[in-house]
Amino acid sequence: MAKALKKNNPKKELRVDGERLYKALHDLGEVGAYKDESTGIVGVNRLALSEADGAGRRKVVSWMKELGLSVSVDQIGNVYAERRGETDLPPVMMGSHIDSVPTAGRFDGCLGVLGALEVMRTLSESGLTTKRPLVAAFFTEEEGCRFGTDMLGSAVATGRIPLEAAYALKDAQGLTVKGELEKTGFLGPEAVGRRKPHAYLECHIEQGPSLRHDGFEIGVVTGVQAISWQELTIVGKSAHAGTTPMEFRKDAGVAAARINLKLREMIASGMFGKGMRATMGVNRPHPGMVNVVPGRVVCTVDLRHPEDGFMEEVERELVAFYKQVEKDEGVSISWRQTARTAMAPFSDEVQSVVEGAANELGLSNTPILSGAGHDAQEWSRACKTAMVFVPGEYDGISHNPREFSTLKQCADGVNVLLGAALTLTED
Ligand code: HGY
Ligand code: MN
Ligand code: MN
């Protein structure tokens, strides 16, 4: 008979099994594995709702069922696995994502999902029952790189993006989210918006150099910076590269290059505060031939800023610059906003619970603002939320097969997740 978790129970001695967690990360990392020719390292390519993502989803669901958790899938493909508590009060939810960018490592997102399962496994082995139920979850298309907008599943589940609008999103081949959910078998029956957790926790790799460089074992995440994604279509005129004099050209490639350099200049100017980051990750010239002036370019702009006010200024300056480029280069520039989230602060209360759990474990820790977007930023609108960061090696590189955190770093993070979850379940 499971022992109810009482205040003085030895929950403080509970520790996750780091080897088992690391093996699960390795095993899931085998799904969608590929040999990265530029680094020679095995990376992961599990784009949202691809065949590989479907296989990864089925693997994790089988692990959830082996644990005796009750698994349900909602209308946008989010998967929830519930461990009963002594009561049926609103649960403490722990989650993240298992979809990846095409050149990923095996830790981004997966640490939070498999860490949540490791917490459940550890509790089951100890025979302890928590007051509140616990839920382990993974969400659809967190990365946003297949269907164009990030944190899609969590944004639908928490009401920021309407379900029908999400269903209609298309990938580069014109395949829709709804069609791919059906194809992978993850168009679930559970109504989105039904889940109202008591609190939400997410363990994630930092994906940057700070914790490792400053010598901290845990990051207590204070929030997520603002994110703004635009997709631009620049139309000029295709022309012969040899016979067309420069003054006759309407070169969409030059227009895109000017916008990319402008991003760099805006940051260097210091006029937009500290911390602005900008990336032109997609830049597809058409027809993309050596001897043709590109008549069309589709490119993207990814802006990040810790301060909303400056983010709005950056966006205004950039859109005004598009007008200037249109005039100078004789091109037309149309653009659409594909993702936009304000800076999302996390709950002070949950941050101190995370900090307390790290201190209990004797792990050095520091507050840190997240440079990357996470599902937690969406759930922070629905319930009190915070995150646990673990350091990464090689300057915390991520969205790259070199992404790497050690067994100890992962186990430390998930032990903090365990401790924080146990505290919150007793609320
Ligand atoms: O783009 C991001 O910040 C996250 O990796 N989805
Ligand atoms: Mn992630
Ligand atoms: Mn990512």
Side-chain angles (χ1 to χ4, degrees):
M1 169 63 177
K3 282 173 276 169
L5 193 66
K6 290 286 168 284
K7 286 277 173 264
N8 55 1
N9 250 15
K11 71 171 181 180
K12 290 194 174 33
E13 283 64 61
L14 274 184
R15 297 290 180 272
V16 299
D17 180 332
E19 303 276 346
R20 185 168 60 191
L21 168 68
Y22 219 58
K23 182 171 179 322
L25 283 163
H26 174 272
D27 292 352
L28 182 55
E30 296 284 283
V31 182
Y34 77 101
K35 188 128 167 114
D36 188 82
E37 70 280 351
S38 58
T39 60
I41 296 175
V42 174
V44 174
N45 177 0
R46 258 198 330 263
L47 275 183
L49 301 178
S50 60
E51 225 173 282
D53 185 35
R57 285 167 163 260
R58 284 187 292 278
K59 182 179 273 284
V60 175
V61 167
S62 71
W63 291 341
M64 291 171 160
K65 289 185 172 161
E66 275 166 28
L67 275 171
L69 305 174
S70 59
V71 181
S72 64
V73 183
D74 75 10
Q75 295 162 305
I76 193 66
N78 297 326
V79 176
Y80 307 94
E82 183 150 340
R83 181 175 194 268
R84 293 176 58 77
E86 272 182 341
T87 71
D88 54 9
L89 288 168
V92 171
M93 183 148 82
M94 301 171 284
S96 197
H97 62 97
I98 60 170
D99 65 287
S100 82
V101 296
T103 56
R106 54 192 151 90
F107 300 88
D108 180 357
C110 301
L111 177 61
V113 178
L114 301 181
L117 290 187
E118 178 54 33
V119 164
M120 305 273 204
R121 215 177 255 113
T122 304
L123 283 173
S124 301
E125 284 172 347
S126 65
L128 291 176
T129 302
T130 52
K131 183 173 121 188
R132 291 175 178 274
L134 280 173
V135 171
F138 62 80
F139 309 106
T140 300
E141 178 65 311
E142 186 277 346
E143 293 294 0
C145 36
R146 181 177 178 194
F147 295 100
T149 196
D150 54 358
M151 277 67 81
L152 181 65
S154 294
V156 171
T158 56
R160 176 167 68 85
I161 295 179
L163 178 63
E164 289 310 320
Y167 277 166
L169 290 176
K170 290 191 174 120
D171 70 0
Q173 283 69 43
L175 299 171
T176 64
V177 165
K178 184 165 191 179
E180 296 303 279
L181 282 167
E182 280 161 345
K183 203 188 293 177
T184 49
F186 279 91
L187 199 164
E190 180 181 310
V192 290
R194 187 178 82 73
R195 295 270 159 183
K196 301 275 181 247
H198 168 65
Y200 177 84
L201 288 165
E202 183 167 350
C203 180
H204 203 289
I205 50 173
E206 176 201 344
Q207 300 179 289
S210 325
L211 291 176
R212 187 70 177 76
H213 182 264
D214 301 342
F216 290 105
E217 293 165 304
I218 294 291
V220 180
V221 189
T222 57
V224 175
Q225 65 179 342
I227 302 174
S228 171
W229 288 1
Q230 296 174 358
E231 181 189 80
L232 285 69
T233 302
I234 304 172
V235 178
K237 193 169 76 180
S238 291
H240 193 298
T243 58
T244 312
M246 297 313 278
E247 63 277 23
F248 282 67
R249 295 183 179 205
K250 298 183 187 303
D251 188 334
V254 168
R258 286 190 58 186
I259 292 167
N260 204 358
L261 284 176
K262 171 73 175 176
L263 294 171
R264 187 66 67 89
E265 286 155 17
M266 286 169 72
I267 294 168
S269 74
M271 283 168 53
F272 301 92
K274 286 213 304 286
M276 174 185 164
R277 292 173 181 159
T279 313
M280 184 176 280
V282 173
N283 186 334
R284 282 197 286 268
H286 179 81
M289 292 295 148
V290 62
N291 57 357
V292 182
V293 175
R296 191 175 75 249
V297 169
V298 173
C299 59
T300 58
V301 172
D302 173 323
L303 301 168
R304 311 283 173 122
H305 207 298
E307 296 175 61
D308 288 324
F310 275 126
M311 176 64 100
E312 285 148 26
E313 276 184 43
V314 165
E315 290 171 318
R316 274 195 299 275
E317 169 90 5
L318 203 50
V319 171
F321 183 67
Y322 298 161
K323 293 277 162 253
Q324 185 62 48
V325 172
E326 283 185 316
K327 217 157 104 274
D328 298 349
E329 305 299 334
V331 299
S332 74
I333 299 176
S334 58
W335 62 277
R336 62 192 185 97
Q337 189 85 44
T338 50
R340 182 67 171 88
T341 43
M343 187 275 168
F346 287 153
S347 141
D348 292 339
E349 179 200 341
V350 180
Q351 285 180 57
S352 50
V353 166
V354 169
E355 184 190 358
N359 290 337
E360 280 274 323
L361 291 160
L363 295 171
S364 59
N365 59 87
T366 182
I368 182 170
L369 178 71
S370 177
H374 297 289
D375 293 299
Q377 70 188 71
E378 303 300 324
W379 289 97
S380 66
R381 292 194 311 278
C383 63
K384 57 188 183 183
T385 291
M387 292 181 73
V388 184
F389 267 3
V390 307
E393 301 299 307
Y394 316 118
D395 292 335
I397 188 167
S398 183
H399 286 187
N400 180 303
R402 288 188 68 85
E403 177 183 283
F404 183 78
S405 293
T406 65
L407 188 152
K408 180 181 180 319
Q409 288 165 340
C410 293
D412 286 348
V414 176
N415 274 319
V416 172
L417 180 71
L418 169 64
L422 287 178
T423 301
L424 292 166
T425 52
E426 295 311 297
D427 276 358

Coordinates of all heavy atoms in Angstrom, one line a residue, residues 97 101 108 141-144 150-151 204 207 224 227 229 302 304 370-374 377 398-399, ligand 1:
H97 N 9.0 19.4 -24.6 CA 8.6 19.0 -26.0 C 9.6 17.9 -26.5 O 10.7 17.8 -25.9 CB 8.7 20.2 -27.0 CG 10.0 20.8 -27.1 ND1 10.9 20.5 -28.1 CD2 10.6 21.7 -26.3 CE1 12.0 21.2 -27.9 NE2 11.9 22.0 -26.8
V101 N 14.4 20.7 -33.9 CA 14.9 21.4 -35.2 C 15.6 20.3 -36.0 O 15.9 19.2 -35.5 CB 15.8 22.5 -34.9 CG1 15.1 23.7 -34.1 CG2 17.1 22.1 -34.2
D108 N 17.5 19.0 -25.9 CA 16.5 20.1 -26.0 C 15.1 19.6 -25.9 O 14.6 18.8 -26.8 CB 16.7 20.8 -27.4 CG 15.8 22.0 -27.6 OD1 14.9 22.2 -26.8 OD2 16.0 22.6 -28.6
E141 N 4.9 20.8 -31.7 CA 5.5 21.8 -32.5 C 6.0 23.0 -31.6 O 5.7 24.2 -31.8 CB 4.6 22.4 -33.6 CG 5.1 23.5 -34.5 CD 6.3 23.3 -35.4 OE1 7.3 22.8 -34.9 OE2 6.2 23.6 -36.5
E142 N 6.8 22.6 -30.6 CA 7.4 23.7 -29.8 C 8.3 24.5 -30.6 O 8.4 25.7 -30.5 CB 8.1 23.1 -28.6 CG 8.6 24.1 -27.6 CD 9.9 24.7 -27.9 OE1 10.6 24.2 -28.8 OE2 10.3 25.8 -27.4
E143 N 9.1 23.8 -31.5 CA 10.2 24.6 -32.2 C 9.6 25.6 -33.2 O 10.3 26.6 -33.5 CB 11.1 23.5 -32.9 CG 11.9 22.7 -32.0 CD 12.9 23.4 -31.2 OE1 13.0 24.7 -31.3 OE2 13.6 22.8 -30.3
G144 N 8.5 25.2 -33.8 CA 7.9 26.2 -34.8 C 8.6 26.2 -36.1 O 8.2 27.0 -37.0
D150 N 6.1 29.1 -33.1 CA 6.7 28.3 -32.0 C 5.7 28.1 -30.9 O 4.7 28.8 -30.7 CB 8.0 28.9 -31.5 CG 7.8 30.4 -31.1 OD1 6.7 30.9 -31.2 OD2 8.8 30.9 -30.6
M151 N 6.0 27.1 -30.0 CA 5.1 26.8 -28.9 C 3.7 26.5 -29.3 O 2.7 26.8 -28.6 CB 5.1 27.8 -27.8 CG 6.3 27.8 -26.9 SD 7.9 28.1 -27.7 CE 7.9 29.9 -27.7
H204 N 15.0 22.1 -18.4 CA 15.4 22.3 -19.8 C 16.9 22.7 -19.7 O 17.4 23.2 -18.8 CB 14.6 23.4 -20.4 CG 14.6 23.4 -21.9 ND1 15.7 23.7 -22.7 CD2 13.6 23.1 -22.8 CE1 15.3 23.6 -24.0 NE2 14.1 23.2 -24.1
Q207 N 20.9 26.0 -23.1 CA 21.1 26.3 -24.5 C 22.0 27.5 -24.7 O 21.9 28.2 -25.7 CB 19.8 26.4 -25.3 CG 18.9 25.2 -25.2 CD 17.6 25.4 -25.9 OE1 16.7 26.1 -25.5 NE2 17.5 24.7 -27.0
V224 N 11.0 34.4 -19.8 CA 11.5 34.2 -21.1 C 11.4 35.5 -21.9 O 10.4 36.3 -21.7 CB 10.6 33.2 -21.9 CG1 11.0 33.1 -23.4 CG2 10.6 31.8 -21.2
I227 N 9.9 37.5 -28.1 CA 10.2 36.9 -29.4 C 9.4 37.5 -30.5 O 8.1 37.6 -30.3 CB 10.0 35.4 -29.3 CG1 10.7 34.7 -28.1 CG2 10.3 34.7 -30.6 CD1 10.4 33.2 -27.9
W229 N 8.9 36.9 -34.7 CA 9.3 36.2 -36.0 C 8.6 36.9 -37.2 O 7.3 37.1 -37.1 CB 9.0 34.8 -36.0 CG 9.9 33.9 -35.1 CD1 10.9 34.3 -34.3 CD2 9.8 32.5 -34.9 NE1 11.4 33.2 -33.6 CE2 10.8 32.1 -34.0 CE3 9.0 31.5 -35.5 CZ2 11.0 30.8 -33.6 CZ3 9.2 30.2 -35.1 CH2 10.1 29.8 -34.1
D302 N 14.3 36.7 -37.0 CA 14.0 36.2 -35.7 C 14.6 37.3 -34.7 O 15.8 37.5 -34.7 CB 14.6 34.9 -35.4 CG 14.5 34.4 -34.0 OD1 14.6 35.2 -33.0 OD2 14.3 33.1 -33.8
R304 N 14.9 38.8 -30.8 CA 14.7 38.5 -29.3 C 15.1 39.7 -28.5 O 16.1 40.4 -28.9 CB 15.6 37.3 -28.9 CG 15.5 36.1 -29.8 CD 14.3 35.3 -29.6 NE 14.2 34.2 -30.6 CZ 14.1 32.9 -30.3 NH1 14.1 32.5 -29.0 NH2 14.0 32.0 -31.2
S370 N 15.6 33.3 -19.6 CA 15.8 32.4 -20.8 C 15.9 33.1 -22.1 O 15.0 34.0 -22.4 CB 14.6 31.4 -20.9 OG 14.8 30.6 -22.0
G371 N 16.9 32.8 -22.8 CA 17.1 33.4 -24.2 C 16.2 32.7 -25.2 O 15.8 33.2 -26.2
A372 N 15.9 31.4 -24.9 CA 15.1 30.6 -25.8 C 13.6 30.6 -25.4 O 13.3 30.8 -24.2 CB 15.5 29.2 -25.8
G373 N 12.7 30.4 -26.3 CA 11.3 30.3 -26.0 C 11.0 28.9 -25.4 O 11.8 27.9 -25.7
H374 N 10.0 28.7 -24.6 CA 9.7 27.4 -24.0 C 8.2 27.3 -23.8 O 7.5 28.3 -23.7 CB 10.4 27.3 -22.7 CG 11.9 27.3 -22.7 ND1 12.6 26.2 -23.3 CD2 12.8 28.2 -22.4 CE1 13.9 26.5 -23.2 NE2 14.0 27.7 -22.7
Q377 N 6.5 29.4 -21.1 CA 6.0 30.8 -21.2 C 4.5 30.8 -21.5 O 3.8 31.7 -21.1 CB 6.8 31.5 -22.3 CG 6.5 31.1 -23.7 CD 7.5 31.8 -24.7 OE1 8.6 31.4 -24.7 NE2 7.0 32.7 -25.5
S398 N 23.4 24.7 -28.8 CA 22.1 23.9 -29.0 C 21.6 24.2 -30.4 O 22.1 25.0 -31.1 CB 21.1 24.4 -27.9 OG 19.9 23.7 -28.0
H399 N 20.5 23.4 -30.7 CA 20.1 23.4 -32.1 C 21.2 23.1 -33.0 O 21.4 23.6 -34.1 CB 19.5 24.8 -32.5 CG 18.1 25.0 -31.9 ND1 17.4 26.1 -32.2 CD2 17.4 24.3 -31.0 CE1 16.2 26.1 -31.5 NE2 16.3 25.0 -30.7
Ligands
HGY1 O1 13.2 29.3 -30.8 C1 13.3 29.0 -29.6 O2 13.6 29.9 -28.8 C2 12.9 27.7 -29.1 O3 14.0 26.8 -29.3 N1 11.7 27.1 -29.7

